[in-house]
Structure formats: structure tokens, C-alpha cells
């Protein structure tokens, strides 16, 4: 140990997500301790065998788990869609076209306004235990606005996603092929240096299978790794395309055929479920149970966005997944931590193991099960991100 060290001791229940450390897939340890050295986990084990450290933090029997990994969020935007939500809750159905409202507000906002908004949501998520968050563009839909969205996002997270193919830009409403050409050409050239991922909304009202393939293939050629908004509103080609192109994740996965489920289960593509979207649109929930029973890797994320899932709470998503999607509390917590890490192809987060980044969430509860058992209750007692206590 070469830097300042912190010993967290007296942990009643520790979720390591390392089956080699403890019981079950969560690798549960009772009466445990963790040592942080700089930004990394340096030691994990029983409290009685913990080494000395520069500082000591007493967990007092509370539960500790990895920080949440939110692998799907849309945080670079301006404006408000309260009226749309209110109308939808009064019986109006959701369509992809609602995104255009946010596009207009985002284009009109300054860089400073967009960054302040983004930073506020990142802080909000951090206070609730989210220590890794992905962020997409997709509310500018011009070369300049998409590139600035990614530049702003990259100052707050390394997990930036080029989503120029969110919807067809209003100016190209009568020329969707021309917009795909822009997204795969000049816009991609401007955005690729600021992004790790390329994404597309493969859905009726947005981009069909052929258009989505063109967008993702162009992104791959620029060195970006694909992820896909797939099968949210209807059955469609999104999941199969994601698997075929080696996407890190297929996100939403609400309407799946048996062939879609089998494809996910037989691939490295994570099924990222976003229950906030179904909750906020009164839509049918995806079946986490069906995917898990088939052997697919499942992640949970917030889909935080102003139109269809305006929540930054991973704890809320866990509770909904347990109540509505057939997942056990253990499975939901794994999906919100290690599952998200898999969806971002990260091995340094989503686990509490020696060498992992010291991203830790201490609950004001004796067990991780309380995240589903006590829905809506603020249970965050402390949060460490990269070894620094932030909450």
C-alpha cells in the first residue's frame, strides 16, 4: 500500500459480486471489511482479519455493495416535458416523435446550460449510489450539436455514446436516407473522437433494420463499439442486429421472440432492461425472468431522459424489476452493478475485489435486499467513487 488507506470495517453484509469471495452469485460476506488504497480496493475479507490502515470507517453492521453502474442514460439536454408526461398519463400513447421537443430546446441552449444540467444529473445519481454512468448524445441531431453534446459528456464520464441516429432530424423529415448519410458521414467524423460507443434507435418511427445496420457499421469502421435501442415499442430486428454485429448491449428488450431470447443467451450481448421507461409510459414490462432462465446476461439501467424515463434512481429500477419483471432481489442488484459493468465491457467496476476501482455504496440498511424491500426510501448512507468519499 503506497497511498492513503481507508479501512471500512464492521460491514454486516458485503456484496462483492465475486462468487469466489463468498456465498452465491453476489459473493456475500458477513461481518466483513474492505481496505481502500488510493482509488482501488486493496483488501477484502473478515473484519477480524483486517489489516491496519491510515483511516477507519465503521459501517456499524450496514450493507456495502459496489456502486451502481448505469449503462444507459440521456443526460445532455435542455427543456422540460412535464406537459407531455401529464398528457400521456391522461391517456395519450407515447411515440418516438416526442423527442423532437427536447431537440428544439437542446439546440437553443448554451454549452454552459447543457453542462450545468448534465453535471446536476450526475451529482443526483451519485447521491443515490451511481458511480459509473453512460451518457448519450441524440438531442442535437446536427453535426455541431451532436459533437458538442459528446464533448460536454466526455468531461463527466468516459462512457460516451454517439446517438445521432436517435430520430430523423426535423429538417430531414422528408429525406430520411439523406439523414442516415449525414449520420454515417460528416456527423460521425465530428463525433467519433469524443465517443466510445455508437448507438441507434432501431424502432418504428425512428430507424429500420437496414438504416440501423448502416449506422452501426459506419461507427464500427470508425472504431466505435455498437449498442442498440432494440425492441422497445414493438417486435423488430434490433436484437438480432445487435447480436450479429457484436454489440455490447441490446437495450430495452421489451418485445422479444423466442429467437431473440435465444440469440441473446448465446452471445456476449447484454440484455439491458430499462423499467423506468415502461413505468413512465404505462407500457408492458420486459421479462427479466425469461431472459435469465434462458441464460442471457441482464443489466438494469435507468434510461434517464426527459421524455420517457425521467429518473436517475437505480434503486427504483431494482424495486420495479423485482416487483414487475420476475427478478429476485439478488438478481436485480447484480444486474444494476455487475450487469451494467458487463454492458460497458468494464472489469474494474461493478465488483468489490482487490484491484477493482473503489466504487462503494453503503446502505442505511442491513442487507442489499432492502433496495427492493423498502422502495422509494432513501437508503444511501455513504458513497465512495474511485476511493474518494463523495456522500
Amino acid at each position: 500500500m503506497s497511498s492513503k488507506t481507508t479501512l471500512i470495517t464492521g460491514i454486516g453484509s458485503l456484496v462483492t459480486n465475486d462468487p469466489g469471495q463468498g456465498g452465491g452469485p453476489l459473493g456475500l460476506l458477513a461481518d466483513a471489511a474492505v481496505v481502500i488504497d488510493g482509488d482501488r480496493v486493496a483488501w477484502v475479507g473478515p473484519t477480524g482479519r483486517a489489516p491496519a490502515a491510515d483511516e477507519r470507517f465503521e459501517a456499524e453492521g450496514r450493507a456495502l455493495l459496489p456502486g451502481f453502474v448505469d449503462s444507459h442514460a440521456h443526460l445532455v439536454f435542455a427543456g422540460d416535458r412535464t406537459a407531455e408526461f401529464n398528457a400521456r398519463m391522461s391517456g395519450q400513447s407515447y411515440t418516438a416523435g416526442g423527442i423532437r421537443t427536447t431537440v428544439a430546446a437542446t439546440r437553443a441552449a448554451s454549452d454552459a446550460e447543457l453542462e450545468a444540467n448534465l453535471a446536476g444529473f450526475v451529482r443526483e445519481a451519485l447521491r443515490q449510489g451511481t458511480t459509473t454512468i453512460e451518457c448519450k448524445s441524440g438531442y442535437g441531431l446536427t453535426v455541431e450539436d451532436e459533437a458538442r453534446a459528446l464533448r460536454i459528456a466526455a468531461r463527466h464520464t468516459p462512457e460516451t455514446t454517439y446517438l445521432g441516429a436517435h430520430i430523423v432530424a426535423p429538417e430531414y423529415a422528408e429525406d430520411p436516407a439523406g439523414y442516415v448519410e449525414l449520420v454515417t458521414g460528416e456527423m460521425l467524423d465530428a463525433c467519433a473522437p469524443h465517443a466510445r460507443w455508437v448507438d441507434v434507435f432501431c424502432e418504428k418511427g425512428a430507424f429500420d433494420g437496414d438504416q440501423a445496420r448502416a449506422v452501426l457499421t459506419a461507427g464500427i469502421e470508425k472504431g466505435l463499439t455498437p449498442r442498440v435501442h432494440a425492441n422497445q415499442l414493438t417486435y423488430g430486428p434490433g436484437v438480432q442486429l445487435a447480436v450479429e454485429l457484436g454489440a455490447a448491449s441490446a437495450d430495452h428488450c421489451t418485445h422479444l421472440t423466442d429467437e431473440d431470447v435465444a440469440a441473446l443467451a448465446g452471445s456476449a450481448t447484454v440484455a439491458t432492461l430499462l423499467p423506468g421507461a415502461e413505468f413512465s409510459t404505462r407500457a408492458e414490462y420486459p421479462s427479466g425472468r425469461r431472459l435469465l432462465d434462458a441464460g442471457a446476461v441482464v443489466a438494469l439501467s435507468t434510461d434517464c431522459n426527459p421524455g420517457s424515463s425521467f429518473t436517475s434512481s437505480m434503486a427504483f429500477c431494482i424495486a420495479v424489476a423485482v416487483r414487475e419483471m420476475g427478478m429476485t432481489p439478488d438478481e436485480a442488484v447484480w444486474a444494476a452493478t455487475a450487469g451494467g459493468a458487463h454492458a460497458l465491457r468494464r472489469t474494474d467496476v461493478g465488483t468489490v475485489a482487490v484491484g477493482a476501482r473503489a466504487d462503494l455504496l453503503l446502505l442505511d440498511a442491513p442487507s442489499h435486499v432492502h433496495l427492493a424491500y423498502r422502495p422509494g426510501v432513501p437508503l444511501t448512507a455513504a458513497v465512495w467513487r474511485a476511493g474518494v468519499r463523495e456522500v
Side-chain angles (χ1 to χ4, degrees), residues 338-366:
H342 279 268
L344 293 175
R345 295 190 172 167
R346 295 278 294 271
T347 58
D348 61 328
V349 297
T351 183
V352 182
V354 173
R357 200 172 76 171
D359 290 354
L360 306 168
L361 166 59
L362 184 71
L363 299 181
D364 192 12

Side-chain angles (χ1 to χ4, degrees), residues 34-292:
V34 172
V35 175
I36 301 170
D37 184 4
D39 66 350
R40 299 285 152 174
V41 174
W43 186 89
V44 179
T47 287
R49 291 167 46 194
D54 298 322
E55 295 182 343
R56 183 184 181 101
F57 181 95
E58 177 55 54
E60 299 178 338
R62 292 175 290 193
L64 187 75
L65 57 152
F68 295 131
V69 181
D70 189 348
S71 61
H72 185 127
H74 306 251
L75 303 179
V76 186
F77 69 87
D80 180 87
R81 284 162 68 181
T82 301
E84 177 189 319
F85 175 80
N86 193 33
R88 188 166 62 240
M89 293 299 102
S90 302
Q92 182 176 327
S93 64
Y94 167 71
T95 65
I99 295 167
R100 293 181 179 87
T101 304
T102 301
V103 169
T106 302
R107 289 178 176 182
S110 68
D111 287 12
E113 289 169 333
L114 292 177
E115 183 149 22
N117 205 34
L118 165 64
F121 288 123
V122 171
R123 287 194 301 271
E124 178 181 280
L126 181 63
R127 288 195 298 269
Q128 300 171 87
T130 297
T131 50
T132 301
I133 195 164
E134 181 260 10
C135 185
K136 304 178 191 297
S137 67
Y139 290 125
L141 309 186
T142 68
V143 173
E144 179 183 350
D145 285 309
E146 287 295 290
R148 73 165 176 157
L150 287 166
R151 286 196 302 269
I152 290 168
R155 292 197 282 268
H156 297 268
T157 177
E159 303 299 344
T160 53
T161 300
Y162 169 49
L163 185 58
H166 200 180
I167 58 167
V168 174
E171 299 83 0
Y172 287 83
E174 304 303 319
D175 183 20
Y179 186 65
V180 172
E181 184 177 349
L182 179 68
V183 168
T184 59
E186 182 184 357
M187 187 183 290
L188 174 61
D189 291 341
C191 290
H194 311 291
R196 182 183 178 199
W197 309 97
V198 59
D199 199 345
V200 59
F201 190 9
C202 184
E203 190 65 65
K204 183 178 179 180
F207 298 89
D208 64 24
D210 290 340
Q211 293 168 329
R213 180 187 299 276
V215 169
L216 297 174
T217 301
I220 291 168
E221 291 173 353
K222 280 287 187 179
L224 305 181
T225 303
R227 14 186 13 94
V228 183
H229 282 63
N231 301 52
Q232 176 188 4
L233 305 178
T234 59
Y235 294 95
V239 164
Q240 296 290 339
L241 184 61
V243 171
E244 177 192 337
L245 296 181
S249 66
D251 298 34
H252 288 290
C253 295
T254 309
H255 299 279
L256 301 179
T257 64
D258 289 344
E259 291 75 17
D260 292 333
V261 173
L264 288 165
S267 75
T269 299
V270 175
T272 298
L273 308 184
L274 310 169
E278 282 74 35
F279 180 91
S280 297
T281 59
R282 286 183 176 157
E284 175 187 350
Y285 287 100
S287 174
R289 181 79 275 128
R290 182 185 181 198
L291 286 159
L292 289 164

